[in-house]
Amino acid sequence: MNKIWIIAARELKTFFDSLTAYILLIAFLGISGFFTWLFGSDIFYIGQASLQPFFAVAYWTLFFFTPALTMRMLAEENKTGTIELLLTKSVTDWQVLLGKFLACLMLIGIALALTLPYYFTVWSIGPVDHGAVWCGYLGLLLMSSTYISIGLFASSITSNQIVAFLLSLFIGLFFLIIFSVLSSSSTGFIGELFDYLSLQSHFDSISRGVVDSKDIIYFLSISLFGLLLAETALAKRNIAD
Amino acid sequence: MSIVVEELSKNYGRQKAVDNISFQVNTGEILGFLGPNGAGKTTTMKIITCFMSPTSGDVNINGLSIHTEKENVKKKIGYLPENNPLYFDMPVLEYLAFTAALQGIDKNKIQDKIAEMVFICGLDEEKHKKIGELSKGYRQRVGLAQAMIHNPEILILDEPTTGLDPNQIIEIRKLIKRIGKEKTVILSTHILPEVEATCDRILIINKGKIVADGTPETLRRQSHNNEILRISISDAADRNEIISSLQNLESVNMVDPLRDDSGALIIQSKAGLSSRKNIFHLCVDKQWVLTEMTPIETKLEDIFRELTTD
């Protein structure tokens, strides 16, 4: 755990040193604030003391922002060769991966924490369903961890950051939209399978305040699967062919 | 701390990068790992440092196998990979602290260790800069510092002096020599004088196989049994007569007149024989004035070329 934390701390510091963190935080707060308070179906338009408009916006913004965080993670190490230096230190592949995963999750956590004033503002306006709000935040974190592990996998198989970015968006798109479209156009077991794979329904139920173990397992298992694939890509160097 | 490499092989697809090699490096030895590009040097080093697994075979570091004791083996090895990859966006001190923490150095000791490395590697003036801002020579020192920060008993350096200027090369070599007194060092390079200057033993590898193993002296002896002399005889005598008389000497294999103004001759003796005395006596008999007789040593370059070209 200590090694994971050392790697995570370094990555997090690199985010802040390279301005990535500031750009992401400002853009995230700007976009989510704009659509939550000022434009479209914002809080005043709905007329309810609810953070649903914010969760709906964050659902999309995180989809684009997470790959921007993860694309550098392993692709750059592959390109510059620092991966060799890192993996010949006294750490395992998993510690490296989890460290990087944790760093991305922490940065997204910080971004979400900075939106807490929205919550307090809405609270002061009217009666808020506190459970639904916290569940919404939990849902966003779980969804982000899914995208992070997909992004880490994409980043692990290439040394080009742009390829990593586009690939993780592409894979993410399946969970975001494509599975849901496929489920509506197919029936029976296939239809149910696509519906289960679609991220939307799981996120919606959590952000409404319904914490079902089925949804939690969904997010965690995709995260784990992404990390497993990334670890396999890292370990490929060992395969004797 | 000894390194025992046993029947190590690594295949990339059909290509055999390392083909069943075995060797041993003893404590306190500086081993020069030589070979043309693509010979398998870097692959062997990557396997020893546990970056990749071999297709077959094993490496034992003081009895610890790279298959079963990866974490422990890594702790005992300091590694400077080819091209010295570093995080350019990190300041030197921060980077060293990161490496030290990863290598499991006690928190309280990290600062002392960093100070020690900064001193040994001569990084004091540049320690607050970002690594990307440093010159190549200083980056190389940072590479060495990160490799040594956990006081490993084994150092593996892949082309440590590539791209440095002559002054930096000499400094880095001195540094390696100094470190090598207490540690086991494997150093790969293309630069042959570097091997002679720093290494106790040479291992030449070609197409994944070991083709020579020994000290520079043994390699010279093995590669060329024939004595080679360069001689000059004063102009008074007839050159053709000189050449034919020398050629007739029992011990002489070949006489080769140099095509420059010096008029010197290169004489190769037959295997195991020396022509020095015969030449001297010949000159005395013929009353020629012998102005030069120099034995020519086989250069490491020649040995290298002989062993690594088809």
Side-chain angles (χ1 to χ4, degrees):
Chain A
M1 189 61 208
N2 187 25
K3 300 270 166 77
I4 297 174
W5 175 246
I6 293 166
I7 291 170
R10 189 200 88 82
E11 294 293 345
L12 198 63
K13 192 164 183 308
T14 309
F15 279 140
F16 283 97
D17 284 349
S18 67
L19 295 180
T20 317
Y22 300 104
I23 295 170
L24 174 106
L25 291 176
I26 290 168
F28 178 73
L29 291 177
I31 294 172
S32 63
F34 181 69
F35 286 102
T36 309
W37 300 103
L38 300 173
F39 187 78
S41 50
D42 58 45
I43 285 178
F44 302 111
Y45 178 83
I46 295 175
Q48 284 175 0
S50 149
L51 272 184
Q52 275 305 327
F54 163 68
F55 294 138
V57 177
Y59 178 74
W60 277 94
T61 39
L62 287 176
F63 168 71
F64 287 104
F65 284 154
T66 318
L69 290 181
T70 54
M71 66 177 190
R72 212 196 85 254
M73 285 292 160
L74 289 154
E76 195 181 60
E77 303 244 17
N78 285 335
K79 189 175 180 184
T80 56
T82 44
I83 191 77
E84 192 176 338
L85 207 56
L86 192 56
L87 293 178
T88 49
K89 300 277 177 269
S90 157
V91 289
T92 61
D93 294 7
W94 272 110
Q95 285 171 328
V96 170
L97 273 178
L98 289 174
K100 287 174 184 281
F101 177 86
L102 193 61
C104 295
L105 195 62
M106 283 196 293
L107 187 59
I108 290 177
I110 293 171
L112 292 178
L114 289 175
T115 65
L116 285 177
Y118 299 178
Y119 168 44
F120 298 128
T121 312
V122 173
W123 192 357
S124 69
I125 296 173
V128 183
D129 181 350
H130 297 289
V133 171
W134 290 113
C135 287
Y137 276 111
L138 175 71
L140 286 179
L141 273 179
L142 284 171
M143 184 189 74
S144 304
S145 74
T146 310
Y147 287 140
I148 292 169
S149 68
I150 291 172
L152 282 179
F153 163 65
S155 185
S156 70
I157 58 172
T158 176
S159 53
N160 185 324
Q161 295 189 32
I162 304 296
V163 172
F165 178 74
L166 294 176
L167 186 64
S168 49
L169 273 189
F170 181 68
I171 301 173
L173 209 57
F174 275 85
F175 292 98
L176 188 76
I177 298 173
I178 297 178
F179 285 139
S180 133
V181 172
L182 286 175
S183 79
S184 62
S185 62
S186 34
T187 52
F189 172 71
I190 303 282
E192 275 175 35
L193 180 73
F194 283 136
D195 185 49
Y196 180 74
L197 283 174
S198 166
L199 212 144
Q200 178 89 52
S201 57
H202 298 281
F203 178 72
D204 281 351
S205 70
I206 288 192
S207 69
R208 274 198 308 269
V210 185
V211 182
D212 188 343
S213 58
K214 194 181 77 178
D215 301 323
I216 308 261
I217 289 171
Y218 167 82
F219 285 115
L220 292 184
S221 56
I222 294 180
S223 306
L224 190 68
F225 188 62
L227 286 174
L228 264 175
L229 286 179
E231 142 71 12
T232 313
L234 266 188
K236 207 177 67 192
R237 67 187 195 278
N238 290 322
I239 295 172
D241 47 0
Chain B
M1 183 77 44
S2 65
I3 307 170
V4 182
V5 175
E6 287 167 345
E7 296 170 357
L8 200 69
S9 294
K10 176 78 185 175
N11 301 347
Y12 294 123
R14 283 190 187 167
Q15 191 198 353
K16 283 187 171 176
V18 177
D19 189 1
N20 200 21
I21 65 170
S22 301
F23 62 89
Q24 187 169 348
V25 194
N26 300 318
T27 314
E29 205 170 30
I30 305 184
L31 177 79
F33 212 35
L34 285 180
N37 288 323
K41 303 185 295 276
T42 300
T43 306
T44 310
M45 291 185 151
K46 282 181 179 176
I47 294 172
I48 299 176
T49 52
C50 299
F51 178 64
M52 49 164 77
S53 306
T55 307
S56 65
D58 197 1
V59 179
N60 277 295
I61 310 282
N62 245 19
L64 301 174
S65 161
I66 54 161
H67 292 296
T68 50
E69 304 269 355
K70 245 181 199 174
E71 295 313 303
N72 287 327
V73 168
K74 282 181 185 175
K75 275 186 190 158
K76 296 194 185 309
I77 293 180
Y79 180 37
L80 174 67
E82 202 178 4
N83 304 325
N84 189 21
L86 296 166
Y87 296 117
F88 285 180
D89 50 358
M90 281 181 102
V92 175
L93 289 180
E94 211 173 277
Y95 177 66
L96 291 179
F98 170 66
T99 318
L102 272 191
Q103 291 289 27
I105 295 176
D106 196 52
K107 248 188 189 168
N108 309 320
K109 291 182 185 157
I110 286 182
Q111 286 312 318
D112 293 344
K113 268 283 157 199
I114 293 174
E116 189 188 334
M117 282 304 120
V118 165
F119 175 74
I120 292 179
C121 299
L123 282 164
D124 201 41
E125 287 168 29
E126 313 278 329
K127 66 183 174 191
H128 294 294
K129 284 190 187 168
K130 281 192 174 177
I131 294 172
E133 292 165 2
L134 300 181
S135 70
K136 211 160 182 179
Y138 275 101
R139 279 184 208 165
Q140 207 73 17
R141 289 170 193 226
V142 175
L144 276 172
Q146 65 80 22
M148 297 189 303
I149 197 148
H150 56 303
N151 199 20
E153 285 151 280
I154 292 168
L155 265 184
I156 296 189
L157 312 171
D158 201 349
E159 304 193 4
T161 56
T162 317
L164 301 185
D165 74 35
N167 294 334
Q168 292 168 332
I169 288 180
I170 289 172
E171 278 184 38
I172 296 282
R173 269 187 211 160
K174 270 191 203 159
L175 188 59
I176 293 170
K177 260 219 120 116
R178 205 167 64 219
I179 301 160
K181 282 178 187 155
E182 298 146 23
K183 300 186 192 303
T184 311
V185 182
I186 299 184
L187 172 142
S188 96
T189 177
H190 291 299
I191 310 160
L192 295 157
E194 181 159 297
V195 181
E196 293 208 272
T198 37
C199 300
D200 306 319
R201 204 176 114 205
I202 297 174
L203 201 71
I204 302 180
I205 177 170
N206 187 33
K207 292 181 181 161
K209 286 182 187 294
I210 292 175
V211 287
D213 181 0
T215 61
E217 287 72 40
T218 25
L219 290 190
R220 280 205 191 89
R221 247 181 278 136
Q222 280 169 2
S223 87
H224 252 297
N225 266 330
N226 301 14
E227 174 193 70
I228 298 174
L229 298 169
R230 175 193 159 109
I231 68 165
S232 299
I233 291 171
S234 93
D235 293 337
D238 176 25
R239 203 166 154 78
N240 287 335
E241 193 195 341
I242 296 176
I243 293 175
S244 63
S245 311
L246 284 169
Q247 190 74 67
N248 289 336
L249 286 175
E250 230 172 75
S251 58
V252 171
N253 182 28
M254 201 175 70
V255 180
D256 190 10
L258 278 184
R259 280 177 189 79
D260 56 13
D261 297 337
S262 67
L265 303 166
I266 298 293
I267 300 191
Q268 201 188 78
S269 307
K270 286 177 181 158
L273 296 176
S274 169
S275 311
R276 278 183 257 193
K277 279 185 186 169
N278 294 346
I279 293 169
F280 176 75
H281 289 305
L282 178 74
C283 290
V284 171
D285 289 347
K286 301 271 187 180
Q287 294 199 327
W288 296 333
V289 181
L290 187 61
T291 53
E292 180 192 358
M293 173 148 41
T294 323
I296 295 179
E297 272 203 334
T298 324
K299 284 188 202 145
L300 209 51
E301 269 93 351
D302 299 328
I303 302 173
F304 182 80
R305 282 187 58 79
E306 197 180 300
L307 292 168
T308 58
T309 44
D310 302 311

